[in-house]
Amino acid sequence: MAQQKGIIKLKGTIGDITFYKSGDTYMAREKGGIDAKRIATDPNFQRTRENGAEFGTAGKAGKLLRTAFRALAVNAKDRYLAARLTRDFIKVLQLDMTNPRGKRNVIDGEAELLRGFEFNEQDKLSTTLFAPATYTINRVTGVLETVFAAYVPANVISAPGGTTHYKIVSAGAVIDFENASYTVDTAESNILPLNNVATAALTLTNNVTAASVPPLFLAVGIEFYQEVNGNQYPLKNGAYNALCIVKVDGGV
């Protein structure tokens, strides 16, 4: 590589020379790398092609799941969500013991590995909400249910400073990764005060397609609010909200 001299600094590619900036220095280097046609046809790159195909499958699966849960995930996510989800879907594919490398898929893999996936890794549901809960998925009826026993909010919610109220949310989804389609249903509690008064039991119910075949996912989250002059405002624009996949039925 060579350093660019002179008044005019270039960025981009001209012929076989690439011009770029590294730190405060403008550099130039000859284009390198392996020809794409060779990667696509050379037997020596068979493993590379297989890995690339499965990375693409995992990426598409992650995007579909993010889209299915978008209504809640938009309020509880971090900037690395897409990359983390792709990484976990690769693990799902790797447990497909039916299909050859490069053609492994979610259905024949282990979608259950996604149980416990946190959409916002900076503020996890597992370190935020400690109220005892029961999660159930009934594939025959298409009902996904979250039941919280009575609890004292201040004792079981680790809320960020400034929180006066909170809301518990849930979403149930049946996701057909083969046909890139999904059905999702969301539910939410009222906006509740964060205090020392015991609540009643709380049930959130999500209804999706009955007797479906693809994987079913149940996600639960918590959103925080601050009351100002009688109005509820999302705390820090939702930066502390949490959302987690709490139960998975991998399909039949």
Side-chain angles (χ1 to χ4, degrees), residues 22-23 72 83 89 112 118 120-121 162 165 174 213 217 219 229 231:
S22 177
L72 300 186
F89 266 110
E112 286 84 355
E118 299 276 0
N120 184 356
E121 198 169 44
H165 291 72
V174 50
V213 174
F217 298 86
N229 297 327
N231 296 312

Side-chain angles (χ1 to χ4, degrees), residues 169-189:
V169 298
S170 72
V174 50
I175 304 181
D176 186 342
F177 294 98
E178 291 184 325
N179 297 302
S181 63
Y182 63 87
T183 299
V184 64
D185 183 51
T186 61
E188 61 183 35
S189 70

